[in-house]
Amino acid sequence: MEPLKRRSKEKNMRFVYLVAAVILFYFARGDQPFALAVWLFLVFLLRYFRMSRPLVGYLVAVPVLAVPVYFSSLGMVLLPKAQLIMYSLVVSIISLIPFILDRLFYQKVPKKISFLLFPSLIVSLYFLNSFTGNGTWGNPAYSFSGDKYLLQLASLTGIWGFIFISGLFASVFSFFWESGFEFKQARIPILVFLILYFLIYSYGALRLRYASAPKRTLQTAALTPTLHQRSDLKKTLLLLRSGTKMEEVQIEILQKIMAGIFDNLLERSDQMAEAGALLVAWSEGSVILFESEKEHLISKACDLAKSKHIYLGLAVIFVDESALKTENKKNPGFRNILILINSEGRIAFEHQKARLVAGLEAPFFSPGNGVFQSYDTSEGRISAAICYEMIFPNYIRKAGKLGTEILVVPSSDWKNVRNIHSRMAVMRAVENGFSLLRPTCDGITAAVDPYGRIMGQVDYFVSSRAFMLTELP
């Protein structure tokens, strides 16, 4: 009877492990995920599945795990309540696939290498998911960006190395657990993990210790609209997105307001140039311009760039007036663009945002072609991406392959996502080995070097300063 009681007690413990995993999963997500929570939630969830019958364990875990997904997504995923519940269930269903596959097959794999099954499954799932419209949103790897030594792993494996090593830890710990915590029986998996982790950490420490001094640096400036200008931009964009038919006089009033913001941003860009900036970039959608005004206003920016001998990155939203004069609830005519003007006063390239946020942007904006362009300056090769595009590592890799040295990433966030979006951008910089200038409205403006080190940072919600001057390698 005693062995039966012990087995029954062990089976009941699986629900304790599930509850522990759920609590930890909440802290492994959100705007500021904790790395320790990632390590531990994988351990407890894997333990729960290995003690449960596959189908029953999966069906119980799906709705339970959807709870922390829902609460950690509040304010971050901008969906109505009913849709957010469905979103949470879908995330839970997909996230648990590696666990049920491990439960089905880990005992069928040779025991000596069985500890490699789960990390292989979980890294495969997240890799495949990165090609969907969600990209790497919700990926637990971003929790590791706070460790400067561990972060260097991204230069070798990209984001996927963090998923593998955390999955390996969970698998090895579970192996040790199932061995009755007998080191002798689990020594090979334990030694494999410890040696691998030691090598990863040593690589990071050495990479930073012997980082070569930059041969060239570029004085940069990031500009964001003021709070008053931001309010005008939001109201204008909401009005334009409503699809309501507009009279000529209404359009003229909006044109005048936007022209005023544009001129003010040019004036502030001039001040940044006087302060020594050679590259000045604006945050995403810093101004809304009408197509009929484009040539006149852009020529003013070109004159400024030429007279001050600077590179000027204009982040603007273009709107076709003709589409506003008719009733059109879903206007596909908006274009979200970064225009880089060179120091001779000519347009070097235009980058149109290709990855659009479903629901918020996709119904209203025309996507770009997804082709990156670059421009060579005496200080380095410059390319550009825009905000949401940064959550797609396979897409940003195209810019890395161009030999980009400085990536300009105009962005626009909101308070609940400002930290995680900033972490994503840092990860892309280390993955591709370029410096990053990220002017951000309603978020964190940052300048990052190729090692993920923050060279300058301004939080839009903490500082009233709507600019940042930084020297970047």
Side-chain angles (χ1 to χ4, degrees):
M1 290 292 292
E2 201 60 37
L4 288 175
K5 286 184 179 179
R6 188 163 53 249
R7 282 198 295 269
S8 176
K9 185 178 179 181
E10 287 175 354
K11 283 187 176 181
N12 291 333
M13 282 299 294
R14 70 185 187 274
F15 296 112
V16 175
Y17 303 146
L18 179 59
V19 171
V22 165
I23 295 170
L24 289 163
F25 192 49
Y26 173 81
F27 291 103
R29 294 176 56 83
D31 189 38
Q32 298 193 69
F34 294 97
L36 181 60
V38 175
W39 293 107
L40 295 179
F41 111 79
L42 290 173
V43 170
F44 285 109
L45 196 55
L46 188 61
R47 189 64 184 152
Y48 160 78
F49 267 90
R50 290 190 176 181
M51 295 178 68
S52 305
R53 285 182 293 172
L55 184 58
V56 174
Y58 185 73
L59 292 177
V60 170
V62 165
V64 173
L65 202 71
V67 174
V69 175
Y70 176 84
F71 284 104
S72 64
S73 299
L74 287 173
M76 296 184 69
V77 179
L78 304 180
L79 291 174
K81 186 175 181 179
Q83 292 183 32
L84 185 58
I85 291 172
M86 290 303 299
Y87 166 83
S88 302
L89 284 169
V90 170
V91 170
S92 181
I93 289 168
I94 295 173
S95 299
L96 292 173
I97 290 175
F99 295 89
I100 191 171
L101 290 177
D102 174 85
R103 174 64 182 86
L104 290 168
F105 298 109
Y106 86 101
Q107 289 180 324
K108 298 177 182 179
V109 176
K111 190 171 183 180
K112 289 184 178 180
I113 59 170
S114 63
F115 66 94
L116 296 174
L117 176 62
F118 178 70
S120 301
L121 288 170
I122 196 168
V123 77
S124 297
L125 172 83
Y126 279 107
F127 177 73
L128 292 173
N129 191 59
S130 71
F131 291 92
T132 68
N134 284 326
T136 56
W137 181 259
N139 195 310
Y142 293 115
S143 65
F144 298 105
S145 63
D147 189 318
K148 63 180 181 179
Y149 299 121
L150 198 57
L151 178 61
Q152 305 311 311
L153 176 61
S155 67
L156 294 177
T157 67
I159 193 174
W160 316 115
F162 302 100
I163 298 298
F164 185 85
I165 195 68
S166 56
L168 182 63
F169 173 77
S171 186
V172 169
F173 198 97
S174 186
F175 193 102
F176 188 38
W177 199 330
E178 291 164 13
S179 301
F181 295 103
E182 291 281 345
F183 176 77
K184 188 176 181 180
Q185 293 186 38
R187 66 182 182 279
I188 292 178
I190 291 173
L191 289 173
V192 167
F193 173 80
L194 291 176
I195 291 170
L196 182 59
Y197 193 81
F198 172 78
L199 291 174
I200 290 169
Y201 222 81
S202 297
Y203 167 75
L206 291 171
R207 188 170 192 259
L208 290 175
R209 172 67 179 80
Y210 295 103
S212 57
K215 296 178 181 178
R216 295 167 295 175
T217 59
L218 182 66
Q219 188 72 18
T220 65
L223 290 180
T224 60
T226 63
L227 289 173
H228 178 71
Q229 291 170 343
R230 182 63 171 162
S231 177
D232 286 343
L233 285 164
K234 285 181 178 179
K235 291 175 184 176
T236 302
L237 191 57
L238 285 173
L239 177 62
L240 296 176
R241 281 174 46 170
S242 69
T244 305
K245 180 180 177 180
M246 299 182 67
E247 302 298 328
E248 190 72 40
V249 64
Q250 292 176 291
I251 296 175
E252 288 178 1
I253 291 172
L254 292 178
Q255 285 178 328
K256 186 175 181 180
I257 294 172
M258 291 302 113
I261 294 176
F262 186 87
D263 287 341
N264 177 260
L265 285 165
L266 281 187
E267 182 181 341
R268 292 166 59 200
S269 298
D270 190 352
Q271 293 170 359
M272 294 297 100
E274 289 294 326
L278 291 177
L279 169 63
V280 181
W282 302 354
S283 62
E284 180 183 16
S286 281
V287 66
I288 300 168
L289 299 183
F290 296 85
E291 293 286 358
S292 61
E293 297 280 291
K294 177 181 177 180
E295 187 174 343
H296 166 64
L297 293 175
I298 298 303
S299 66
K300 292 169 70 173
C302 289
D303 290 342
L304 173 64
K306 184 177 181 180
S307 65
K308 296 297 182 180
H309 203 66
I310 61 172
Y311 305 100
L312 188 56
L314 310 179
V316 299
I317 293 174
F318 283 118
V319 180
D320 185 357
E321 295 100 314
S322 61
L324 303 176
K325 296 175 182 179
T326 59
E327 188 78 17
N328 184 8
K329 291 298 180 185
K330 288 192 176 181
N331 188 338
F334 298 176
R335 295 187 296 136
N336 192 338
I337 290 179
L338 183 284
I339 302 173
L340 182 70
I341 300 171
N342 67 19
S343 57
E344 297 172 353
R346 294 195 293 268
I347 294 177
F349 64 75
E350 292 186 11
H351 177 83
Q352 184 170 337
K353 191 174 185 179
R355 299 292 191 272
L356 303 174
V357 181
L360 291 178
E361 295 177 318
F364 311 101
F365 288 80
S366 301
N369 58 16
V371 176
F372 281 93
Q373 301 177 70
S374 63
Y375 182 76
D376 287 326
T377 75
S378 58
E379 289 79 20
R381 178 170 293 178
I382 301 174
S383 190
I386 299 177
C387 197
Y388 190 65
E389 294 179 323
M390 294 299 283
I391 79 169
F392 299 92
N394 53 304
Y395 176 66
I396 298 300
R397 185 69 187 131
K398 296 178 183 178
K401 287 183 177 180
L402 285 177
T404 299
E405 292 174 88
I406 294 182
L407 188 71
V408 180
V409 188
S411 303
S412 181
D413 290 336
W414 58 96
K415 194 170 186 177
N416 299 83
V417 299
R418 70 189 193 276
N419 292 295
I420 193 65
H421 275 188
S422 181
R423 290 187 183 202
M424 291 174 173
V426 170
M427 191 73 78
R428 298 292 89 81
V430 181
E431 285 173 348
N432 293 281
F434 48 54
S435 289
L436 190 76
L437 179 63
R438 187 176 183 265
T440 307
C441 194
D442 285 348
I444 296 176
T445 293
V448 183
D449 79 353
Y451 299 90
R453 295 177 292 200
I454 307 298
M455 312 302 288
Q457 184 169 286
V458 176
D459 190 331
Y460 199 83
F461 296 98
V462 175
S463 173
S464 59
R465 183 158 53 97
F467 70 92
M468 181 185 71
L469 270 166
T470 316
E471 191 171 38
L472 272 177

